[in-house]
Amino acid sequence: MSAKPFVLYTFPTPNGHQASIFLEELKALYPNLDYELVFSEGLEPWFIEINPNGRIPALVDRSRGNFVVFETAAIMLYLAHNYDKDFKLWYDPIENPNEHSEILQWTFFAHGGVGPMQGQSNHFNRFAQEDIPYAKKRYLDETKRLYSVLEIRLKNRDWLAGPGRGKYTVADIKTFPWVKGHAFAGIENLDEFPNVKARMSQLVQLHRADLVV
């Protein structure tokens, strides 16, 4: 049996889920694009040889000389550009430059905003050895503010990028595994964000939804 073309080093966190969801979506579209999962918490010396930052996920593309990609957004965009030739999960940057830009904007919004701020809310509310009320409030409030941005964007839309009601893309896969973990960050429910809540329900009803619930 020939080796699968990709190896994904990951762990069951929001960032880890994003990469595995995208690979599952690709595999459903292009069955030859299979992958192996290797679970790692990062920081081990052998993993740092793969990703100097020592954080999951990281992807090794065996079909391109064991090329390594790290950072979740970079992994998904790399896979889209190189393997989603029918543009099912993104937009052609030549034929649809505006829609492609929307994907990048919302992907980076999640990568640089939702993920880091919600991650800090997780840390100060769940793991910090010292109780720091200012930090807990600061990051929880900022996470809620970012959810309010998603709420505005998703008014009369199904997905973050694309014309009309939008199309399910990299941007959604990047964003909603974080939203799924809202309660852990201190947001008890999504009632304050009905559009976000509706899209979350829609997402988990998709095929392969077991990866995000």
Side-chain angles (χ1 to χ4, degrees):
M1 180 181 293
S2 60
K4 296 177 180 179
F6 306 115
V7 182
L8 179 66
Y9 296 88
T10 190
F11 203 71
T13 67
N15 284 333
H17 285 148
Q18 293 156 23
S20 58
I21 290 168
F22 194 81
L23 279 164
E24 282 294 312
E25 298 290 4
L26 271 185
K27 187 170 74 169
L29 294 166
Y30 312 98
N32 61 309
L33 297 180
D34 206 352
Y35 65 101
E36 295 178 16
L37 276 178
V38 177
F39 288 100
S40 170
E41 295 186 43
L43 296 179
E44 301 100 322
W46 65 266
F47 184 77
I48 290 174
E49 292 183 10
I50 297 169
N51 175 9
N53 193 37
R55 295 290 187 268
I56 61 92
L59 179 81
V60 175
D61 186 346
R62 289 170 168 158
S63 64
R64 300 186 71 222
N66 291 323
F67 186 72
V68 176
V69 189
F70 64 92
E71 293 292 333
T72 311
I75 289 170
M76 293 193 294
L77 291 170
Y78 169 86
L79 290 168
H81 277 260
N82 287 287
Y83 295 103
D84 186 6
K85 301 301 184 182
D86 296 328
F87 303 101
K88 297 295 187 180
L89 299 169
W90 65 308
Y91 284 98
D92 184 341
I94 304 302
E95 296 295 327
N96 304 103
N98 291 351
E99 290 81 1
H100 182 260
S101 177
E102 285 186 351
I103 287 178
L104 296 182
Q105 292 171 55
W106 288 103
T107 297
F108 296 151
F109 169 81
H111 191 81
V114 178
M117 295 299 101
Q118 188 166 328
Q120 291 297 321
S121 186
N122 290 347
H123 174 77
F124 284 106
N125 282 283
R126 298 284 182 173
F127 303 115
Q129 295 182 2
E130 180 182 354
D131 184 18
I132 307 175
Y134 171 81
K136 293 165 71 172
K137 184 177 186 301
R138 157 90 175 92
Y139 289 110
L140 178 58
D141 287 351
E142 181 62 7
T143 300
K144 289 181 176 180
R145 187 192 71 80
L146 294 167
Y147 280 25
S148 74
V149 176
L150 294 172
E151 179 69 14
I152 292 168
R153 176 59 174 173
L154 290 169
K155 183 178 180 180
N156 299 320
R157 295 181 61 88
D158 293 322
W159 308 110
L160 291 169
R165 299 196 67 87
K167 181 173 89 170
Y168 177 57
T169 69
V170 174
D172 304 290
I173 298 171
K174 177 62 196 166
T175 305
F176 282 98
W178 277 109
V179 177
K180 176 240 176 188
H182 61 86
F184 193 79
I187 301 173
E188 184 175 348
N189 58 60
L190 296 175
D191 292 348
E192 185 179 348
F193 313 101
N195 295 323
V196 174
K197 183 177 182 179
R199 298 296 78 75
M200 194 72 237
S201 298
Q202 185 175 1
L203 183 63
V204 300
Q205 291 172 16
L206 290 175
H207 184 52
R208 298 169 299 284
D210 58 302
L211 289 167
V212 294
V213 297

